[in-house]
Amino acid sequence: MVLVNEETNERYKGLIEKLSEAEVEKLKGNSNFTFAWNEEQGALVYKLMIKGKKEILGLVSVADIREEFRLHINLLEASKKHRGKGKGIKNIPGCLLAFVCRVSFRKGYGGFVSLLPKTYLIDYYQKNYGFVQVGRQLAIFGNNSKVLVGKFLEDEEV
C-alpha cells in the first residue's frame, strides 16, 4: 500500500496492524484523533502507519457480522494533521477502506463492507470509493471492492 506526501509527492510504504485492547485503551484522550477510540474495545481496531515509523496516521474499527457475511466499519479516522486541505499524507481513508475490503474477501464475504456515514459524507464515499446506498447504510462489495483494493493496496493480493 502506498501513502503519498501531498506537498512533496514522496511515496511511503504503508503498514496496517491490529491494535491490542491495551493499545486501544491508550488512545483515550489522544489529541490526534476526534473519536473516542477507547470505547471500541471488543471490536477489531487497526492502525495505519508508515512502515518503520511509529506515528499512527489513521484508525479503523470493524465489527464482524458473520451471520450476514459482512464487515461493518464502526469508525474510520485519519489523524488531525492528515485530513482536510493541506493534509500531510493522502490516501489514508482509502487504504483503510481497501484493507477492510481485502479482509472481507479473505473471510469469504465477497468484499462486503458496510458503514453508517454522517449525512454530509454519503456523496464522498459514493464518488471516491464506490459505495452504494443500502437503506440508511452504505455498502461496497464484489467488483467495487476489488477495484478499491487494487487502487489503494496495489501489489497486495485480495
Side-chain angles (χ1 to χ4, degrees):
M1 104 190 41
V2 176
L3 299 165
V4 180
N5 182 305
E6 191 170 76
E7 189 175 297
T8 66
N9 279 326
E10 189 174 354
R11 298 167 65 87
Y12 309 100
K13 176 92 172 132
L15 174 68
I16 296 179
E17 296 179 338
K18 185 178 182 305
L19 266 71
S20 69
E21 294 273 332
E23 288 175 305
V24 173
E25 182 60 31
K26 285 181 184 176
L27 290 170
K28 186 176 187 173
N30 186 318
S31 63
N32 292 324
F33 296 95
T34 305
F35 297 132
W37 286 95
N38 60 301
E39 294 177 10
E40 292 302 301
Q41 289 187 355
L44 300 168
V45 180
Y46 297 93
K47 62 183 174 182
L48 171 63
M49 304 172 300
I50 293 173
K51 193 171 185 174
K53 306 275 184 181
K54 293 188 182 211
E55 177 189 2
I56 298 175
L57 304 175
L59 296 163
V60 63
S61 170
V62 181
D64 187 347
I65 315 295
R66 288 185 182 109
E67 64 275 9
E68 296 179 15
F69 302 102
R70 73 178 164 102
L71 296 177
H72 181 79
I73 295 175
N74 297 321
L75 295 175
L76 184 141
E77 183 177 19
S79 67
K80 287 181 180 177
K81 72 179 188 178
H82 297 297
R83 61 175 106 139
K85 296 210 184 287
K87 63 183 147 227
I89 304 292
K90 59 184 178 179
N91 296 345
I92 293 170
C95 288
L96 290 167
L97 290 167
F99 171 80
V100 176
C101 288
R102 186 182 68 199
V103 171
S104 174
F105 278 115
R106 289 180 176 174
K107 288 181 140 307
Y109 297 173
F112 188 12
V113 175
S114 63
L115 56 85
L116 183 60
K118 295 176 180 162
T119 305
Y120 68 92
L121 290 174
I122 291 173
D123 286 342
Y124 174 78
Y125 282 107
Q126 290 174 326
K127 290 177 184 170
N128 292 300
Y129 304 114
F131 279 77
V132 294
Q133 192 148 14
V134 181
R136 292 182 49 223
Q137 297 187 35
L138 294 181
I140 190 168
F141 47 87
N143 194 51
N144 283 354
S145 289
K146 284 183 183 176
V147 167
L148 202 61
V149 170
K151 179 177 180 180
F152 289 100
L153 303 185
E154 292 186 351
D155 297 336
E156 299 181 30
E157 291 182 23
V158 173

